[in-house]
Amino acid sequence: MTSDPGDLVMTSSEMNPLETMMWRAEVDPRLRSPVVILDVLDRPPDRDRVVASHGWATRFVPRLRERVLEPWGDWGTPTWVPDPDFALPHHLGRAQVARPGGRRELLDLAASMALTPFDRERPPWEAKIVTGLAGGRAAYVLKVHHSVADGMGLVQILRMLHSGVREHTDLPDHPEPDRHGPSRWGLTVSQATRTVAAVPTRTLDLVSAGAGLLGRLVTRPLATVSDGSAFLGSALRAAVGPVVPRSPLLRRRSLERRFEALEVDLGALKAAGRAVGGSLNDAYLAALLGGMRRYHQRFGAIPEHLAMGMPVNTRDADDPVGGNHWAGTRFAAPLGDADPVARIRHVREVVRRTTGERVVDGLGLIAPLLAVLPPPLLALIQGGATSANDLQASNVPGMTGPAYLAGAQIVRSYAFAPLPGGAAMITLTSHGDTCCVAVTLDPAAITDPDAFLEDLRAGFDEVLALAPVD
C-alpha cells in the first residue's frame, strides 16, 4: 500500500452542515451527490487481491463500514454509525461490457452506476471491476457519496487501494472495527441533551461578543462600522453570488446524466498558462470557456457571461482523512473573449477577485442555517441555487507516479463529480503527465454531447497553442 496507516485519522462521526445539506437534499433526485472514479487498467486485476485490499481498507477506514443514522424527525445531525450487517459483497462486484467494449460502453456503464441511488441503510459506496474491454484492458469504477469525502479526501482513500508496484505486497494487520453503534432513539436523546446543556455556554458567548462589539463601537465607532459593513458586504457577495441570467441554450434540466472524457498534456497546459501570466487552473478554465463559447456559437448567440461555480480547496495538512473541506464559489465567467490570451487573463482576474474576498465560503456561512430546514424546503432552496449554474468546474491533483490495483496498472483515472441541477460539471484530475478531464452532462441542457465534446477539445487546443515550442 502507498500510505502509512499509522499516520491516518478519520473525520468526525457527525456530518458537518455542508455534508448534511448534500445528504438531506436528496429528497429531490436531481440533487443526488455521487462521485464516480473511473480507473482504466491495462489488464484485469487479481480478484483475490482486490477483495483483500478492499477488506483491509474498510477495516482501516471505518467510515467505509458505516451508514448514516438520522435522529427522529430529522431533528439533529446525521451521524455515521457502524453498519452491524456490513458485508463486502454488497459493495464490491463485477460487471462486463459487450466485447470488445470501447470508451463509450465504459462511460455509459459508469453513468448508469451514478444514476442508481444508494441504499441509505448501508454504507454509501460501491465498486465494480469491469471486464470485456478492447485490447484486454479492464476498469475499476468506484461510486462514493459526496458526504463521505470531497475530491482530495477520495484521493487519500484511494491511495490505500493503490500500490506503487505491480507485484503483491503484504498488507499491515488492522483489527476489525466495532460493529456496535447507537440506536436512532439513543442518538436523538444524546444530541438533544447536548444541545440543552450547551445553551448557557452559548448565551455567555453571545453576551461576551455583544459586549466586545459595544466596546469597540464606543472607542472606535467609525472603524467598527466600516469593518462590519465590509464584512457584511463580502459575506453577501459570497453567499448570493453575482446575478447572471442562465444561458437560453442550456436552460432545460433533467434527471439524466451522460459521461464524456478527454485527455490533455499536463506540461503543455501549465506552460500555456505561464506563457501569458496565468496558472494551470487559469488555462484550464479558459479552455472550458472556449469550448462553451464555441458550442453557443454553433447554435446561435454567445452570452457575454456564463454563471459558473467552482469549489476552492480549504483542506489543511493536519485535517483528517475523508470528509469535506471546500468552499463553494460562484462568479460570472467571461464568455465574450474570443482571444484565448484575453480569456486566460480575464478569468484569472475574476477568480482572483472572487477567492480574494474577505469571506470566500458563502455556502459554508449559510450552511448551518440551511441544514436545519426540513429536507423538502432545503432541497427547494438548494436546487434553485445550484441549477442556476450553467457550468461547474473542479481541479483535483491526482497520482504523480505509476499506480497499480491488484497487479493491474492504472493507465487513466477520471473523477466524475455530481451535477446537482446544473448543465455541466467538468473535473480535471492529473495522472502522471496527463490531465484526465471528466465531463458530467445533463443531456437536456447539452442536447448535442458529441458536438460539445468536439468544441471542448477545440477550446483546449487553442489554449495549448499558447505553450512555447521547445
mmCIF file of all heavy atoms in Angstrom, residues 34-37 110 112-119 124-128 140-145 154:
data_model
loop_
_atom_site.group_PDB
_atom_site.id
_atom_site.type_symbol
_atom_site.label_atom_id
_atom_site.label_comp_id
_atom_site.label_asym_id
_atom_site.label_seq_id
_atom_site.Cartn_x
_atom_site.Cartn_y
_atom_site.Cartn_z
ATOM 1 N N PRO A 34 -23.475 11.590 -6.076
ATOM 2 C CA PRO A 34 -22.462 10.540 -6.209
ATOM 3 C C PRO A 34 -21.203 11.070 -6.891
ATOM 4 O O PRO A 34 -21.274 11.847 -7.838
ATOM 5 C CB PRO A 34 -23.145 9.503 -7.099
ATOM 6 C CG PRO A 34 -24.021 10.331 -7.997
ATOM 7 C CD PRO A 34 -24.475 11.513 -7.167
ATOM 8 N N VAL A 35 -20.053 10.675 -6.382
ATOM 9 C CA VAL A 35 -18.785 10.905 -7.064
ATOM 10 C C VAL A 35 -18.356 9.568 -7.656
ATOM 11 O O VAL A 35 -18.352 8.552 -6.958
ATOM 12 C CB VAL A 35 -17.700 11.415 -6.101
ATOM 13 C CG1 VAL A 35 -16.387 11.630 -6.845
ATOM 14 C CG2 VAL A 35 -18.151 12.704 -5.417
ATOM 15 N N VAL A 36 -18.030 9.546 -8.937
ATOM 16 C CA VAL A 36 -17.653 8.305 -9.612
ATOM 17 C C VAL A 36 -16.210 8.418 -10.096
ATOM 18 O O VAL A 36 -15.883 9.294 -10.898
ATOM 19 C CB VAL A 36 -18.589 7.999 -10.797
ATOM 20 C CG1 VAL A 36 -18.134 6.735 -11.520
ATOM 21 C CG2 VAL A 36 -20.025 7.832 -10.313
ATOM 22 N N ILE A 37 -15.361 7.539 -9.581
ATOM 23 C CA ILE A 37 -13.969 7.457 -10.029
ATOM 24 C C ILE A 37 -13.859 6.304 -11.019
ATOM 25 O O ILE A 37 -14.264 5.180 -10.714
ATOM 26 C CB ILE A 37 -13.012 7.200 -8.852
ATOM 27 C CG1 ILE A 37 -13.221 8.239 -7.748
ATOM 28 C CG2 ILE A 37 -11.561 7.192 -9.336
ATOM 29 C CD1 ILE A 37 -12.895 9.649 -8.142
ATOM 30 N N ALA A 110 -20.495 3.506 -16.336
ATOM 31 C CA ALA A 110 -20.202 4.348 -15.177
ATOM 32 C C ALA A 110 -21.334 5.336 -14.922
ATOM 33 O O ALA A 110 -21.706 5.585 -13.764
ATOM 34 C CB ALA A 110 -18.879 5.083 -15.388
ATOM 35 N N SER A 112 -24.488 4.913 -15.680
ATOM 36 C CA SER A 112 -25.640 4.184 -15.142
ATOM 37 C C SER A 112 -25.462 3.914 -13.654
ATOM 38 O O SER A 112 -26.434 3.937 -12.887
ATOM 39 C CB SER A 112 -25.857 2.878 -15.911
ATOM 40 O OG SER A 112 -24.824 1.942 -15.637
ATOM 41 N N MET A 113 -24.230 3.659 -13.222
ATOM 42 C CA MET A 113 -23.966 3.497 -11.795
ATOM 43 C C MET A 113 -24.268 4.798 -11.052
ATOM 44 O O MET A 113 -24.830 4.790 -9.948
ATOM 45 C CB MET A 113 -22.519 3.069 -11.556
ATOM 46 C CG MET A 113 -22.225 1.629 -11.919
ATOM 47 S SD MET A 113 -20.475 1.164 -11.612
ATOM 48 C CE MET A 113 -20.334 1.426 -9.827
ATOM 49 N N ALA A 114 -23.888 5.927 -11.639
ATOM 50 C CA ALA A 114 -24.123 7.218 -10.995
ATOM 51 C C ALA A 114 -25.613 7.493 -10.829
ATOM 52 O O ALA A 114 -26.025 8.145 -9.857
ATOM 53 C CB ALA A 114 -23.472 8.331 -11.806
ATOM 54 N N LEU A 115 -26.434 7.021 -11.758
ATOM 55 C CA LEU A 115 -27.869 7.289 -11.719
ATOM 56 C C LEU A 115 -28.613 6.401 -10.732
ATOM 57 O O LEU A 115 -29.756 6.683 -10.383
ATOM 58 C CB LEU A 115 -28.466 7.108 -13.120
ATOM 59 C CG LEU A 115 -28.116 8.197 -14.138
ATOM 60 C CD1 LEU A 115 -28.581 7.795 -15.528
ATOM 61 C CD2 LEU A 115 -28.734 9.530 -13.732
ATOM 62 N N THR A 116 -27.984 5.325 -10.287
ATOM 63 C CA THR A 116 -28.636 4.411 -9.355
ATOM 64 C C THR A 116 -28.478 4.937 -7.936
ATOM 65 O O THR A 116 -27.353 5.119 -7.460
ATOM 66 C CB THR A 116 -28.010 3.003 -9.437
ATOM 67 O OG1 THR A 116 -28.064 2.553 -10.790
ATOM 68 C CG2 THR A 116 -28.758 2.033 -8.541
ATOM 69 N N PRO A 117 -29.585 5.207 -7.219
ATOM 70 C CA PRO A 117 -29.455 5.768 -5.867
ATOM 71 C C PRO A 117 -28.844 4.765 -4.892
ATOM 72 O O PRO A 117 -28.976 3.549 -5.056
ATOM 73 C CB PRO A 117 -30.897 6.104 -5.476
ATOM 74 C CG PRO A 117 -31.743 5.225 -6.345
ATOM 75 C CD PRO A 117 -30.994 5.047 -7.626
ATOM 76 N N PHE A 118 -28.171 5.280 -3.876
ATOM 77 C CA PHE A 118 -27.602 4.431 -2.834
ATOM 78 C C PHE A 118 -28.705 3.851 -1.958
ATOM 79 O O PHE A 118 -29.764 4.460 -1.788
ATOM 80 C CB PHE A 118 -26.652 5.236 -1.945
ATOM 81 C CG PHE A 118 -25.332 5.569 -2.578
ATOM 82 C CD1 PHE A 118 -25.054 6.857 -3.004
ATOM 83 C CD2 PHE A 118 -24.354 4.596 -2.736
ATOM 84 C CE1 PHE A 118 -23.829 7.170 -3.572
ATOM 85 C CE2 PHE A 118 -23.131 4.894 -3.312
ATOM 86 C CZ PHE A 118 -22.861 6.186 -3.726
ATOM 87 N N ASP A 119 -28.442 2.671 -1.411
ATOM 88 C CA ASP A 119 -29.264 2.128 -0.335
ATOM 89 C C ASP A 119 -28.875 2.888 0.929
ATOM 90 O O ASP A 119 -27.781 2.718 1.455
ATOM 91 C CB ASP A 119 -28.986 0.628 -0.177
ATOM 92 C CG ASP A 119 -29.823 -0.010 0.926
ATOM 93 O OD1 ASP A 119 -30.433 0.734 1.725
ATOM 94 O OD2 ASP A 119 -29.850 -1.253 0.998
ATOM 95 N N PRO A 124 -22.680 4.251 2.036
ATOM 96 C CA PRO A 124 -22.965 4.743 0.678
ATOM 97 C C PRO A 124 -21.758 4.722 -0.255
ATOM 98 O O PRO A 124 -21.222 5.764 -0.627
ATOM 99 C CB PRO A 124 -23.482 6.158 0.927
ATOM 100 C CG PRO A 124 -22.759 6.588 2.172
ATOM 101 C CD PRO A 124 -22.586 5.350 3.005
ATOM 102 N N TRP A 125 -21.349 3.517 -0.639
ATOM 103 C CA TRP A 125 -20.320 3.380 -1.661
ATOM 104 C C TRP A 125 -20.449 2.018 -2.319
ATOM 105 O O TRP A 125 -20.999 1.075 -1.747
ATOM 106 C CB TRP A 125 -18.913 3.547 -1.074
ATOM 107 C CG TRP A 125 -18.465 2.439 -0.152
ATOM 108 C CD1 TRP A 125 -18.693 2.342 1.186
ATOM 109 C CD2 TRP A 125 -17.737 1.245 -0.523
ATOM 110 N NE1 TRP A 125 -18.155 1.170 1.684
ATOM 111 C CE2 TRP A 125 -17.560 0.492 0.660
ATOM 112 C CE3 TRP A 125 -17.216 0.762 -1.719
ATOM 113 C CZ2 TRP A 125 -16.880 -0.730 0.681
ATOM 114 C CZ3 TRP A 125 -16.541 -0.453 -1.713
ATOM 115 C CH2 TRP A 125 -16.380 -1.179 -0.532
ATOM 116 N N GLU A 126 -19.966 1.909 -3.533
ATOM 117 C CA GLU A 126 -19.893 0.630 -4.230
ATOM 118 C C GLU A 126 -18.782 0.692 -5.270
ATOM 119 O O GLU A 126 -18.412 1.768 -5.740
ATOM 120 C CB GLU A 126 -21.216 0.261 -4.894
ATOM 121 C CG GLU A 126 -21.625 1.179 -6.039
ATOM 122 C CD GLU A 126 -22.825 0.644 -6.806
ATOM 123 O OE1 GLU A 126 -22.779 -0.538 -7.225
ATOM 124 O OE2 GLU A 126 -23.787 1.418 -6.998
ATOM 125 N N ALA A 127 -18.225 -0.464 -5.597
ATOM 126 C CA ALA A 127 -17.142 -0.545 -6.579
ATOM 127 C C ALA A 127 -17.363 -1.752 -7.468
ATOM 128 O O ALA A 127 -17.908 -2.771 -7.029
ATOM 129 C CB ALA A 127 -15.786 -0.632 -5.885
ATOM 130 N N LYS A 128 -16.950 -1.636 -8.716
ATOM 131 C CA LYS A 128 -17.058 -2.746 -9.668
ATOM 132 C C LYS A 128 -15.769 -2.876 -10.472
ATOM 133 O O LYS A 128 -15.170 -1.870 -10.873
ATOM 134 C CB LYS A 128 -18.232 -2.546 -10.629
ATOM 135 C CG LYS A 128 -19.611 -2.657 -9.988
ATOM 136 C CD LYS A 128 -20.700 -2.566 -11.036
ATOM 137 C CE LYS A 128 -22.087 -2.567 -10.403
ATOM 138 N NZ LYS A 128 -22.371 -3.822 -9.693
ATOM 139 N N TYR A 140 -11.825 -0.127 -13.202
ATOM 140 C CA TYR A 140 -12.301 -0.126 -11.818
ATOM 141 C C TYR A 140 -13.167 1.111 -11.661
ATOM 142 O O TYR A 140 -12.733 2.235 -11.955
ATOM 143 C CB TYR A 140 -11.115 -0.075 -10.859
ATOM 144 C CG TYR A 140 -11.478 0.120 -9.405
ATOM 145 C CD1 TYR A 140 -11.989 -0.920 -8.643
ATOM 146 C CD2 TYR A 140 -11.286 1.350 -8.784
ATOM 147 C CE1 TYR A 140 -12.312 -0.743 -7.307
ATOM 148 C CE2 TYR A 140 -11.597 1.539 -7.450
ATOM 149 C CZ TYR A 140 -12.108 0.488 -6.706
ATOM 150 O OH TYR A 140 -12.426 0.675 -5.382
ATOM 151 N N VAL A 141 -14.421 0.920 -11.239
ATOM 152 C CA VAL A 141 -15.352 2.028 -11.071
ATOM 153 C C VAL A 141 -15.762 2.092 -9.604
ATOM 154 O O VAL A 141 -16.311 1.125 -9.069
ATOM 155 C CB VAL A 141 -16.596 1.881 -11.965
ATOM 156 C CG1 VAL A 141 -17.469 3.129 -11.859
ATOM 157 C CG2 VAL A 141 -16.201 1.640 -13.423
ATOM 158 N N LEU A 142 -15.493 3.211 -8.976
ATOM 159 C CA LEU A 142 -15.836 3.421 -7.572
ATOM 160 C C LEU A 142 -16.840 4.558 -7.479
ATOM 161 O O LEU A 142 -16.586 5.660 -7.959
ATOM 162 C CB LEU A 142 -14.577 3.773 -6.769
ATOM 163 C CG LEU A 142 -14.791 4.183 -5.308
ATOM 164 C CD1 LEU A 142 -15.319 3.010 -4.485
ATOM 165 C CD2 LEU A 142 -13.501 4.723 -4.698
ATOM 166 N N LYS A 143 -17.980 4.272 -6.859
ATOM 167 C CA LYS A 143 -19.003 5.305 -6.624
ATOM 168 C C LYS A 143 -19.104 5.551 -5.121
ATOM 169 O O LYS A 143 -19.306 4.616 -4.347
ATOM 170 C CB LYS A 143 -20.362 4.880 -7.189
ATOM 171 C CG LYS A 143 -21.444 5.947 -7.001
ATOM 172 C CD LYS A 143 -22.781 5.538 -7.622
ATOM 173 C CE LYS A 143 -23.514 4.548 -6.757
ATOM 174 N NZ LYS A 143 -24.934 4.398 -7.152
ATOM 175 N N VAL A 144 -18.964 6.814 -4.719
ATOM 176 C CA VAL A 144 -18.985 7.194 -3.307
ATOM 177 C C VAL A 144 -19.884 8.412 -3.139
ATOM 178 O O VAL A 144 -19.852 9.332 -3.962
ATOM 179 C CB VAL A 144 -17.564 7.533 -2.798
ATOM 180 C CG1 VAL A 144 -17.590 7.876 -1.315
ATOM 181 C CG2 VAL A 144 -16.602 6.394 -3.056
ATOM 182 N N HIS A 145 -20.676 8.412 -2.088
ATOM 183 C CA HIS A 145 -21.491 9.598 -1.825
ATOM 184 C C HIS A 145 -20.590 10.760 -1.427
ATOM 185 O O HIS A 145 -19.629 10.591 -0.669
ATOM 186 C CB HIS A 145 -22.504 9.314 -0.716
ATOM 187 C CG HIS A 145 -23.611 10.322 -0.664
ATOM 188 N ND1 HIS A 145 -23.462 11.557 -0.060
ATOM 189 C CD2 HIS A 145 -24.879 10.288 -1.159
ATOM 190 C CE1 HIS A 145 -24.603 12.238 -0.180
ATOM 191 N NE2 HIS A 145 -25.473 11.487 -0.836
ATOM 192 N N LEU A 154 -11.129 11.714 -1.318
ATOM 193 C CA LEU A 154 -11.190 10.447 -2.051
ATOM 194 C C LEU A 154 -9.815 10.036 -2.548
ATOM 195 O O LEU A 154 -9.489 8.845 -2.571
ATOM 196 C CB LEU A 154 -12.155 10.576 -3.229
ATOM 197 C CG LEU A 154 -13.637 10.421 -2.887
ATOM 198 C CD1 LEU A 154 -14.494 10.671 -4.120
ATOM 199 C CD2 LEU A 154 -13.913 9.039 -2.330
#
